[in-house]
Amino acid sequence: MNKPKHKTPRPKPLIDQYGNIHYSADELARGGQGVVFRTKDADLAIKQPLDASGNPDGNINLRDRFQHIRLLPLPLRIPISLPLAILRDEPGYVMRLLNDMSPFSNLELDGKTRGKLAKQELPEWLNQMPNEDFALQLLHYANTGSTARRLFALSKCAATLARLHCSGIVYGDISSNNVFVGSESSKEVWLIDADNLCFETIKGVHAVYTPHYGAPEIVQGRDKSRPRTDCWAFAVMAFRSLTLCHPFIGKKVTDGDSDEGGWDADPIADDMPADLDEQAYAGYLPFIDDEDDDCNAAQSGLPRELVATSMLRRLFQETFGPGRTQPQRRPSMLFWAIEFARASDLSLNCPECKMSYFADDYTKCPYCDTSRPAFAYAKTENWKVLIPDGVSEFALPHCLFNPYSPEHYDETAYEAEINFAKQTAKPVRGTRPFPDNLEFTFVEATK
């Protein structure tokens, strides 16, 4: 007798306040405050708040919260996925989300992807690496756009946060699960969790943060969410994604068990967690690249000069060094936005290993030793943009001809027709002539 075929249960319909029916699909991201699902509609998603036990939290007054969000003076056309409608019978809301977008956390190697990569033969440039786990991390790093894609996504995220801060608004819970990026060919980067948007206030606002991203003064219970706490969380996300290590998990944490409890061990303050990991995440330990204190020096991760320009390294140092105990020392989001955009525009992809690096700093790929390919620069007194070999048409950005604008910096100002064989560049037919201050420089491939 044939057994009946098992049928996948149809997703439970979710009805919003306007009577629209939605069917949840794949889970996109999950955090301490909620979970995000795609729906059968490619451009809509469902966010459901969670309580401490991980179940839908029906005690949150979403209607009042979203009324508050709608009254905030948000900048026009800012890429934040705002609530469209509240669910009628369950806690949660509907929000817009572009179809090809995924959380920034997908750029991190998870267990499922690690298992798939471990079954493959490593490429030659990774074959001799003694640490297999780090080799798999680098392979995933290359497969997901390497440094260049991360720099661009971080520049867009920083620009959005800078626009919020200029309007007096704090985002409140930056993490790799709350930033969504489009496909490699897409320029879209959105913040998805609008729940905690608020004005900066001295009293009365509950501070929310994702574990391992919270600023020390929030984790230690000394302050509330502010623009400078956003700057801290963003910097942690940026450092982790670029270097493949957390900015505070260094040798004091990883080697702590070997000398813990000795006669000369530092005493633990009453309000300090005993666990070294928790001390690190709460900002009690020095930055792993701290210039003045090497007791927690880095023991892993990509070399910083490979993945960050000198100015970005300075911003990390100021944020995690003096800024750890003096929050007012942290650079504002506008500095991060400008320097990530500059770094993104100076990145060159290696045609062999798919890793990227800063073209001015190397004549060969620092990862696989492949000769640097030809490229060109378009430059003005404002900016410089790298144009890779093989491109016939190239969009010249707004920031090349104008002061940096977090809203418009990457919009197309001119279109160029590039001929690498003749080393010429001219406006695409039918477009405006180039301004006089624009120069093109062609750089030959190295041998």
Side-chain angles (χ1 to χ4, degrees), residues 65-340:
R65 178 181 291 182
F66 297 154
Q67 183 64 22
H68 163 73
I69 292 172
R70 292 186 179 111
L71 292 175
L72 291 173
L74 294 172
L76 294 175
R77 298 178 297 278
I78 192 163
I80 298 178
S81 188
L82 299 172
L84 298 175
I86 300 170
L87 297 181
R88 192 175 67 189
D89 301 320
E90 292 193 30
Y93 60 88
V94 183
M95 63 183 181
R96 179 173 173 241
L97 189 65
L98 301 183
N99 185 35
D100 65 345
M101 302 194 81
S102 58
F104 199 82
S105 57
N106 280 13
L107 301 181
E108 303 168 6
L109 182 62
D110 58 22
K112 183 178 180 180
T113 306
R114 178 183 277 106
K116 291 180 180 179
L117 294 179
K119 297 176 182 178
Q120 303 175 12
E121 183 177 351
L122 287 175
E124 186 176 347
W125 65 282
L126 290 173
N127 262 338
Q128 304 303 316
M129 186 165 291
N131 187 327
E132 182 182 1
D133 184 70
F134 192 62
L136 294 177
Q137 288 190 63
L138 286 180
L139 182 57
H140 180 70
Y141 196 91
N143 290 344
T144 52
S146 189
T147 312
R149 187 182 181 202
R150 288 161 172 79
L151 291 171
F152 178 78
L154 290 166
S155 76
K156 297 284 284 184
C157 178
T160 298
L161 291 168
R163 294 177 66 194
L164 279 180
H165 292 176
C166 285
S167 298
I169 299 172
V170 180
Y171 178 74
D173 188 18
I174 300 168
S175 75
S176 58
N177 276 332
N178 285 339
V179 180
F180 271 56
V181 298
S183 61
E184 288 194 45
S185 60
S186 170
K187 287 189 172 184
E188 297 289 346
V189 176
W190 285 50
L191 303 182
I192 68 157
D193 194 347
D195 299 28
N196 301 298
L197 291 175
C198 64
F199 289 117
E200 180 182 10
T201 59
I202 298 175
K203 297 180 180 179
V205 178
H206 177 60
V208 175
Y209 66 92
T210 296
H212 308 171
Y213 290 87
E217 62 271 25
I218 289 183
V219 180
Q220 296 172 23
R222 296 184 284 105
D223 205 351
K224 304 297 183 182
S225 295
R226 303 181 185 277
R228 62 197 186 200
T229 62
D230 277 354
C231 294
W232 176 279
F234 171 83
V236 171
M237 182 181 74
F239 192 89
R240 286 183 62 178
S241 67
L242 291 172
T243 68
L244 301 178
C245 60
H246 191 280
F248 291 91
I249 302 299
K251 70 177 183 182
K252 190 173 182 67
V253 178
T254 55
D255 296 345
D257 292 339
S258 61
D259 56 6
E260 188 176 3
W263 66 271
D264 60 345
D266 294 333
I268 298 176
D270 292 339
D271 58 348
M272 185 186 300
D275 184 83
L276 284 171
D277 287 62
E278 294 306 314
Q279 289 181 27
Y281 294 134
Y284 288 108
L285 303 184
F287 176 36
I288 60 174
D289 293 340
D290 196 292
E291 294 176 333
D292 302 317
D293 188 344
D294 64 355
C295 74
N296 190 35
Q299 293 187 311
S300 62
L302 286 167
R304 315 305 183 244
E305 64 273 10
L306 279 183
V307 297
T309 61
S310 60
M311 279 302 299
L312 284 174
R313 298 198 298 273
R314 188 72 254 157
L315 293 177
F316 282 126
Q317 193 65 233
E318 190 71 10
T319 300
F320 297 138
R324 177 173 65 91
T325 56
Q326 305 171 63
Q328 70 278 7
R329 291 282 299 270
R330 295 171 199 161
S332 73
M333 286 310 311
L334 188 59
F335 287 106
W336 287 105
I338 292 172
E339 294 308 324
F340 270 116

Side-chain angles (χ1 to χ4, degrees), residues 13 44 50 55 80 88 116 139 143 176 184 215 269 279 333 338 353 361-362 372 377 429 431-432 439 443 446-447:
L44 294 178
L50 301 177
N55 297 314
I80 298 178
R88 192 175 67 189
K116 291 180 180 179
L139 182 57
N143 290 344
S176 58
E184 288 194 45
Q279 289 181 27
M333 286 310 311
I338 292 172
C353 68
D361 297 340
Y362 301 93
R372 188 183 66 191
Y377 280 126
R429 179 180 296 181
T431 62
R432 296 174 295 164
E439 298 179 9
V443 181
T446 58
K447 298 181 180 179

